[in-house]
Amino acid sequence: MVYNSNFNVSVTKKEVVAAALPLQEHYLPHSNLDLLLPPVDVGVFLCYQKPAAASDQATTDEHYATFGSMVNTLKAALSEALVSFYALAGEVEQNLAGEPELICNNRGVDFIQAFADVELRKLNLYNPDDSVEGKLVPKKKHGVLAVQATELKCGGIVVACTFDHRVADAYSTNMFLVSWSEIAQSKIPSQQPCFRRSFLFPRRPGHYDLSVANMYVPISSLPLPEPAGVEEPLISRIYCVTAEQIRHLQSQANDYSKKDVTKVEAFCAFLWKTVASGKSRRNFKNFRLGIVVDGRTRLSSGDENKAKSFKGYFGNVLSIPFGEKTIEELSENPLTWVASAVHEFLEEAVTREHFLGLIDWVEAHRPEPAVAKVYACSGDGAALVVSSGQRFPVRKIDFGWGKPAFGSYHFPWGGQSGYVMPMPSPKGNGDWIVYMHLQKEEVELIETYASHVFKPFTSDHLNFD
């Protein structure tokens, strides 16, 4: 397959979509866990085939009418969805303490229509830097959410969104995407969002374990940045990992004298060890691995009513525990040892007490902004963060013209730490789609030493009916 990376995207219309019903303007404070997020945006995009109802013999006018009807469906459903998900139609401002705060004013969502002169099969999804970045996923210039609907040359459509991470984590984003698609099909949304910030209020008096202080750090306590040097740019790639390879990794990583490690733990251990084994020891001594943990089920543990509400909680409920080992340790020890290290540092953050302590830790340091310590590496260390996207409901996001042929998050976040997001394949066969944003050297290491696991994404992996 010859891919087309030089295609053009032309914007045909820009407008603002607001909630269908009026909203009383009000402020929604960020929770203490929201305050741990820097001002970064996260993208997600979904690729759909040409609808079956659209005839191949359609005239040009009819072809555009088909795209027009899809756009009208998207906009009408979005307007209705924003009634419940009103936070996405607002704006983030600074309050008097200098902290971000959400003003729910129904400012609306920027909605872009575009045309790309490329067929879905010829999109080079393996290299989203060429095919997606700046083309199919919109840059958010205002508000909390931006949407772009792009018609493809083949009659397919790409629906992409960019969210302010300070307002929504991946769980919240997924909930919105499913509700939006359900409304588009005239269904009652299966989950209503909950903005009850009291769930994440600090305790009085607050208290936290030292392990929390080892995971997060006030920005003011970080050393001054060294003079800017020539930093290697990070690049994005998308891979497919088969279900068979995932099971094999889990089998290799398990130490049967202890508790079995999960598939995600085994995957993270393999990735940590693979990248470390090829790192130049002249440049790096230590290597940190962080794993994003969702706290919703942990915080509601043992409380059935709270669990029901937390299932719909909209906002950030995340922690990033991490482990730090030397390059030598990761290179020379077996995968079972690395997997055990992953399991060990994760154990500290999968409890209710950890998240309650994290909320209290933020309260004790407000209004001083803080950052996850995994990102605050010294000059002799590197860092990699894995954010599990296994709950990405790609197969559920059907706006009325079929399930996606492909879907992925897109997060070239701008820092120097690597970011990896494994997600389920839209085929529903147990395969994983893995988005990576890493240093070029790290990508080359993965493709050199782990090419049997990470297969570059091709059109053969698309979920065509």
Side-chain angles (χ1 to χ4, degrees):
M1 171 66 68
V2 177
Y3 292 105
N4 183 356
S5 296
N6 298 316
F7 63 91
N8 295 314
V9 177
S10 55
V11 174
T12 56
K13 190 175 183 180
K14 292 182 180 179
E15 57 189 307
V16 176
V17 176
L21 298 177
L23 176 73
Q24 179 65 46
E25 183 175 308
H26 65 282
Y27 285 86
L28 182 66
H30 278 35
S31 76
N32 281 11
L33 298 184
D34 290 325
L35 293 175
L36 289 171
L37 273 296
V40 295
D41 294 332
V42 181
V44 60
F45 66 101
L46 300 146
C47 304
Y48 297 86
Q49 290 179 263
K50 179 179 180 179
S55 169
D56 289 335
Q57 286 75 42
T59 67
T60 300
D61 289 339
E62 288 173 337
H63 178 66
Y64 274 98
T66 300
F67 175 68
S69 66
M70 289 190 285
V71 167
N72 288 337
T73 296
L74 288 171
K75 290 191 295 185
L78 175 60
S79 181
E80 188 174 338
L82 291 175
V83 174
S84 297
F85 291 87
Y86 55 84
L88 295 176
E91 298 176 278
V92 176
E93 297 182 350
Q94 276 197 341
N95 60 23
L96 295 178
E99 295 178 334
E101 190 172 44
L102 185 65
I103 176 172
C104 301
N105 57 3
N106 200 20
R107 180 260 170 205
V109 171
D110 288 350
F111 192 103
I112 301 167
Q113 293 175 224
F115 174 79
D117 60 348
V118 64
E119 296 180 6
L120 178 55
R121 287 184 181 275
K122 294 190 176 181
L123 267 180
N124 185 7
L125 295 172
Y126 159 67
N127 185 354
D129 291 336
D130 285 345
S131 61
V132 175
E133 176 65 16
K135 293 182 178 180
L136 301 178
V137 174
K139 295 292 184 184
K140 183 180 66 61
K141 298 180 179 179
H142 308 285
V144 173
L145 167 66
V147 176
Q148 179 172 322
T150 306
E151 181 186 17
L152 302 179
K153 190 176 180 180
C154 59
I157 182 173
V158 177
V159 180
C161 304
T162 301
F163 295 81
D164 189 325
H165 203 340
R166 295 173 295 178
V167 175
D169 57 12
Y171 183 100
S172 304
T173 300
N174 294 344
M175 180 168 46
F176 163 72
L177 291 171
V178 171
S179 294
W180 183 16
S181 64
E182 289 172 336
I183 291 171
Q185 295 190 68
S186 300
K187 297 178 181 178
I188 297 175
S190 54
Q191 181 67 61
Q192 289 295 321
C194 170
F195 298 95
R196 192 174 174 182
R197 295 295 189 250
S198 60
F199 283 158
L200 302 181
F201 278 177
R203 295 172 290 189
R204 305 290 187 205
H207 59 92
Y208 53 86
D209 190 83
L210 286 178
S211 63
V212 172
N214 289 331
M215 293 182 195
Y216 288 86
V217 59
I219 289 179
S220 62
S221 67
L222 294 175
L224 293 174
E226 297 179 1
V230 179
E231 294 182 331
E232 184 179 10
L234 274 67
I235 61 176
S236 296
R237 294 291 185 267
I238 296 178
Y239 301 93
C240 181
V241 181
T242 66
E244 182 182 2
Q245 282 290 354
I246 295 163
R247 288 191 295 268
H248 182 62
L249 286 179
Q250 187 179 25
S251 175
Q252 285 186 313
N254 268 316
D255 180 348
Y256 293 103
S257 64
K258 300 178 182 179
K259 185 177 179 180
D260 287 351
V261 299
T262 65
K263 290 179 180 177
V264 170
E265 288 172 339
F267 171 86
C268 292
F270 177 77
L271 186 64
W272 198 11
K273 180 176 174 59
T274 298
V275 177
S277 296
K279 280 282 189 184
S280 171
R281 299 185 190 182
R282 294 172 298 174
N283 298 327
F284 293 103
K285 179 181 178 182
N286 301 316
F287 192 9
R288 290 179 177 177
L289 172 73
I291 300 178
V292 178
V293 176
D294 188 321
R296 287 170 175 80
T297 57
R298 280 85 186 183
L299 283 166
S300 59
S301 177
D303 188 327
E304 187 174 330
N305 291 328
K306 186 176 284 189
K308 185 177 180 180
S309 296
F310 251 121
K311 188 177 179 181
Y313 182 84
F314 191 96
N316 287 284
V317 194
L318 305 175
S319 181
I320 311 180
F322 71 94
E324 183 171 13
K325 300 296 180 184
T326 66
I327 296 293
E328 185 177 3
E329 287 176 316
L330 294 168
S331 302
E332 297 182 359
N333 279 294
L335 184 61
T336 53
W337 183 91
V338 181
S340 180
V342 171
H343 186 80
E344 184 177 335
F345 76 71
L346 271 180
E347 277 189 318
E348 294 184 346
V350 293
T351 65
R352 180 172 182 269
E353 182 57 36
H354 167 77
F355 280 90
L356 292 175
L358 180 55
I359 293 168
D360 292 346
W361 183 90
V362 175
E363 186 69 16
H365 292 84
R366 289 179 66 179
E368 170 69 32
V371 66
K373 208 169 184 177
V374 65
Y375 297 120
C377 284
S378 59
D380 66 346
L384 172 65
V385 173
V386 179
S387 180
S388 177
Q390 289 306 310
R391 284 186 277 187
F392 183 39
V394 60
R395 290 170 60 81
K396 293 183 179 180
I397 309 173
D398 180 352
F399 292 99
W401 47 79
K403 293 180 174 61
F406 180 76
S408 173
Y409 273 83
H410 182 64
F411 190 40
W413 71 288
Q416 283 301 302
S417 300
Y419 177 85
V420 175
M421 171 76 95
M423 297 159 284
S425 167
K427 290 184 177 180
N429 60 356
D431 292 352
W432 287 7
I433 302 299
V434 181
Y435 169 84
M436 293 190 182
H437 186 65
L438 303 173
Q439 292 183 357
K440 183 179 179 182
E441 174 204 28
E442 294 171 337
V443 170
E444 290 172 349
L445 289 172
I446 288 168
E447 296 190 350
T448 299
Y449 298 108
S451 59
H452 60 295
V453 174
F454 297 99
K455 301 294 184 182
F457 192 91
T458 70
S459 59
D460 293 336
H461 297 122
L462 290 169
N463 184 35
F464 283 142
D465 293 332

